[in-house]
Amino acid sequence: MNRPVRFLLALLSLRRRRTWGPFTETYERSGFDHAFEISWSQGGEDLALLHLIEVGQSAGTYVDVGAHHPSRFSVTRHLSQRGWTGVNIDANPLLVAEFGIARPQDINICAAIGFQESYSFTIFSEPAISTISKEWEERFISAGETIDSVIQVPGITLRKVFDEYLVGRRVDVLNIDIEGADFEALRSLDLETYSNAMWPIWLILETEPPLKKALGQDAVRYATNLGYVLHCVLPMATILKAPDCK
């Protein structure tokens, strides 16, 4: 598509009122004086991932645990726009409904990932920090965050998700970002009894700086002990690759 046509399409998009805010913010930050990359994720995980995978890969499969929103803080929007499909999982029913609208081609599940049959899920006014972890709930309250509601949600293991919805499909990207419950979620895939040839190729796990703390977190140590190879440590996540895909 040539440049004038692309320019006209961009202008026509401004007919929708909801585009005005992002348009204004983009102008204020960039001045439109040079080409730039857009990151949908909170800490640049999506752009790092695009540099690590085959950027031209037109098809792939992702599983996003704690998916949150199809666009806001999304690690997978770039992949979805490139033709990838997968499974989006979140315990907040209102957010899962957003995926049903924006990504009907995906499987969208409202549940908490872990070993229990049900979980108490605390939804904060900032929904991105909602959690099933009491420790993280207290941490956020101490930081001044306010609770919007507490609901009961069904629990499901990652292994069950893989066995029911991804039979015969190797997952290219498994992203887990669920505010303090990442280790339990990853263990629920039971990689020790899962075919090595079907392990997710890329793992993105929520971590915190500094580097020593990130590499020492339980989910990261669990993955590396199984043979996953560290590829990238970001401010809010660590990316690893399956041992048979070095």
Side-chain angles (χ1 to χ4, degrees):
M1 191 180 298
N2 62 44
R3 188 171 295 177
V5 172
R6 291 164 58 200
F7 177 71
L8 288 173
L9 288 174
L11 289 180
L12 287 172
S13 73
L14 293 175
R15 291 179 302 173
R16 294 171 293 168
R17 184 180 292 271
R18 65 185 181 87
T19 65
W20 297 358
F23 177 85
T24 302
E25 291 175 11
T26 302
Y27 168 73
E28 290 173 345
R29 295 184 184 190
S30 71
F32 296 136
D33 60 0
H34 203 277
F36 53 88
E37 292 283 353
I38 293 174
S39 174
W40 299 103
S41 62
Q42 198 169 8
E45 298 91 342
D46 55 348
L47 295 185
L49 184 61
L50 290 180
H51 284 288
L52 291 171
I53 65 175
E54 294 291 335
V55 178
Q57 186 176 338
S58 60
T61 301
Y62 52 76
V63 174
D64 198 353
V65 181
H68 179 60
H69 190 274
S71 297
R72 184 177 187 251
F73 301 157
S74 175
V75 173
T76 59
R77 174 164 173 171
H78 273 303
L79 300 177
S80 180
Q81 290 181 170
R82 282 164 169 73
W84 290 42
T85 58
V87 181
N88 306 296
I89 307 166
D90 202 279
N92 188 327
L94 295 178
L95 294 176
V96 174
E98 295 280 350
F99 279 96
I101 297 169
R103 302 194 199 172
Q105 73 279 8
D106 285 354
I107 296 163
N108 304 302
I109 300 172
C110 183
I113 296 297
F115 294 103
Q116 297 178 200
E117 291 186 0
S118 66
Y119 288 87
S120 175
F121 182 59
T122 303
I123 301 175
F124 282 87
S125 297
E126 167 49 77
I129 63 171
S130 302
T131 181
I132 61 172
S133 168
K134 286 297 178 185
E135 179 184 345
W136 281 53
E137 176 186 326
E138 292 172 3
R139 170 179 170 179
F140 292 138
I141 292 172
S142 297
E145 301 291 345
T146 57
I147 294 175
D148 183 69
S149 61
V150 179
I151 62 174
Q152 286 295 125
V153 296
I156 186 173
T157 65
L158 259 183
R159 184 60 167 270
K160 187 173 183 179
V161 171
F162 276 51
D163 288 345
E164 288 192 10
Y165 301 105
L166 297 160
V167 178
R169 294 174 65 184
R170 186 171 192 182
V171 171
D172 295 275
V173 175
L174 170 59
N175 178 59
I176 305 178
D177 183 355
I178 47 176
E179 314 307 316
D182 300 58
F183 182 39
E184 180 179 350
L186 182 57
R187 284 195 303 118
S188 78
L189 182 53
D190 196 13
L191 288 167
E192 293 90 340
T193 65
Y194 201 49
S195 169
N196 290 33
M198 295 300 287
W199 285 9
I201 296 173
W202 292 101
L203 283 182
I204 307 176
L205 302 173
E206 181 182 25
T207 55
E208 297 177 285
L211 180 63
K212 184 176 181 180
K213 184 175 182 180
L215 299 185
Q217 291 190 357
D218 291 338
V220 174
R221 289 195 302 162
Y222 173 74
T224 54
N225 286 340
L226 288 174
Y228 269 86
V229 179
L230 290 161
H231 271 252
C232 188
V233 180
L234 301 168
M236 302 179 73
T238 295
I239 303 178
L240 308 93
K241 195 174 188 181
D244 68 325
C245 300
K246 295 179 182 180

